[in-house]
Amino acid sequence: MAVDIRAGDAFDRPVPAQKHTAERGLGDWDRLRTLLALRRGGSLSAAARALGVDHSTIARRLEAAEQEFGTPLFERGPEGFAPTALGEAVLEAAERMEAEVTGLLRRIDGAATGLTGPVRVTTTPHLAACLLAPALGPFLAAHPGLRMELVADSRSLDLSRREADLALRLARPDLPGLVAKRLGEAGFAFYAARDDHRSFAEQSFIAYQDASGHSPLQRHMASLVPEERIVLRSNAMQALHNAVRSGLGAALLSCFSAEADTALRRLPAPRAIPAVGLWLVYHEDLRRSPRLRAALGFVEGVILGARARLLPPGFPFDPPQGAA
């Protein structure tokens, strides 16, 4: 039998334990963020967009994570990436870690005292382009230390996960930890090209469609217009506006953009759509942040200054005589 005899402090010195591969995998936050983004997006490209990296980086991090754990964490199928049973367990732990990290970062931001650094505001592409972007010049000139990020996205970005600091939305969210303030209302009505003289009953229609399928515009259109009369659908309000201008058909458009367009005419409809609420939403942890408060003041001022255009006199407009 061989005996290994080591003398002196070399014998007494403890040998560092090798970390288990799974422990190393759980300790790599970039990889865990990648796994979360992959589950939420369902594809390498969607995860890459969410994290602001390229497609190959996502694939490389996923491969490294699966090597660390020694087993697949996702199954690849025609519908995209779906987590395995172990993948779900890892993702549950990653979500708890994410909640702790983002909560800490929100509290740090909320305790900040200076008017410097980034503030991320999100709203629909239409509101971003037509309302907020044109008003940014004076605001940024008055706050030279701020860096505004304007995220034009119809999706409801997750404020708890710091996908944005402040949101201007067309519906009040019902989630814990969020503060929602109603700023006003926006009117929508049917419009057609000025030289398109077809009545509502004769019209072709262009419909707005977002990913949820439950927007007020979609519901109102579905209640008035049969599917066979819809010739185009789009999730971009500007695309609808331009298609109407071309004479393709009529669409539900925002009054604040359509009323000012002399190439359009308001199309009397059997029933008016109620005004849509405008909600300013942020996480309660940020309520004392000077950056957030400055951005709040900016958005509130823009909406206040645009109220006459957002909800024109006479709204909701009367239906035509004899309409049901």
Side-chain angles (χ1 to χ4, degrees), residues 106 159-160 174-179 281-287:
R106 281 197 312 268
L159 303 184
S160 296
D174 185 21
L175 293 171
L178 298 184
V179 178
V281 187
Y282 58 93
H283 199 281
E284 61 186 3
D285 287 346
L286 296 178
R287 66 169 70 242

Side-chain angles (χ1 to χ4, degrees), residues 58 65 99 107-108 136 185 291:
I58 299 296
R107 291 190 289 275
I108 291 172
L136 273 172
E185 295 177 317
R291 284 178 295 178

Side-chain angles (χ1 to χ4, degrees), residues 37 41-55 58 120 153 155:
S43 68
L44 296 175
S45 56
R49 287 193 300 271
L51 296 181
V53 298
D54 57 38
H55 181 281
I58 299 296
R120 199 170 208 223
D153 200 320
R155 297 172 303 154

